[in-house]
Amino acid sequence: MSPYGAGYGASRAGVCTAQVARDLGLAESTVRKRRAAFARGGLEALTDEARTGRPKSELTVSDAERAVLQRWAWRAGSAQVLAMRAKIVLACADGTSNKQIPSSSGCIRTRRPNGAVTVLTAHRLGAGQ
């Protein structure tokens, strides 16, 4: 159990914000933010709200563009990478979420240690060799 008890109750024990931050490996601003939230709303204020992330930019595809993308996506003579890109754009235009697209299009979505997201197509995974 944390020496600070549930909900950062350390202020009653006289422990300063800097000490709590050091002990827990957090930034002082995080400790201040959580203490203030707890003081305002108790335990309920410590729960995370839904994280929506950055809003998706609007993607509109004209009928002519859709026809070309569909041709590229399903034509046997298209390069594999071009076909995959066309399928991804079509899925986005149809409102498919960014997290659903890799699994539905045969890609693998990975997250690097720095937080960057990489999508590997079947071609980059070596399936085309």
Side-chain angles (χ1 to χ4, degrees):
M1 169 123 179
S2 169
Y4 304 114
Y8 292 102
S11 60
R12 285 191 299 248
V15 179
C16 71
T17 299
Q19 184 63 45
V20 173
R22 277 192 301 275
D23 290 350
L24 297 177
L26 299 171
E28 286 184 46
S29 60
T30 301
V31 175
R32 278 193 299 275
K33 177 181 172 184
R34 296 301 179 195
R35 272 188 170 170
F38 181 74
R40 277 191 315 274
L43 292 175
E44 288 183 19
L46 296 178
T47 59
D48 283 335
E49 296 177 8
R51 297 179 185 193
T52 59
R54 184 179 61 173
K56 290 192 295 186
S57 57
E58 186 67 32
L59 178 66
T60 34
V61 177
S62 70
D63 291 339
E65 291 170 327
R66 182 175 289 278
V68 171
L69 288 167
Q70 287 173 335
R71 225 178 17 254
W72 287 349
W74 304 112
R75 185 178 63 191
S78 291
Q80 186 176 7
V81 172
L82 178 61
M84 181 64 66
R85 290 175 182 164
K87 289 176 187 178
I88 290 170
V89 171
L90 286 168
C92 290
D94 291 338
T96 306
S97 78
N98 291 344
K99 289 188 177 185
Q100 292 173 327
I101 289 172
S103 61
S104 67
S105 61
C107 298
I108 294 176
R109 184 176 188 264
T110 61
R111 185 172 295 275
R112 295 181 186 165
N114 67 358
V117 174
T118 303
V119 176
L120 301 175
T121 63
H123 177 74
R124 286 180 58 193
L125 291 171
Q129 297 176 0

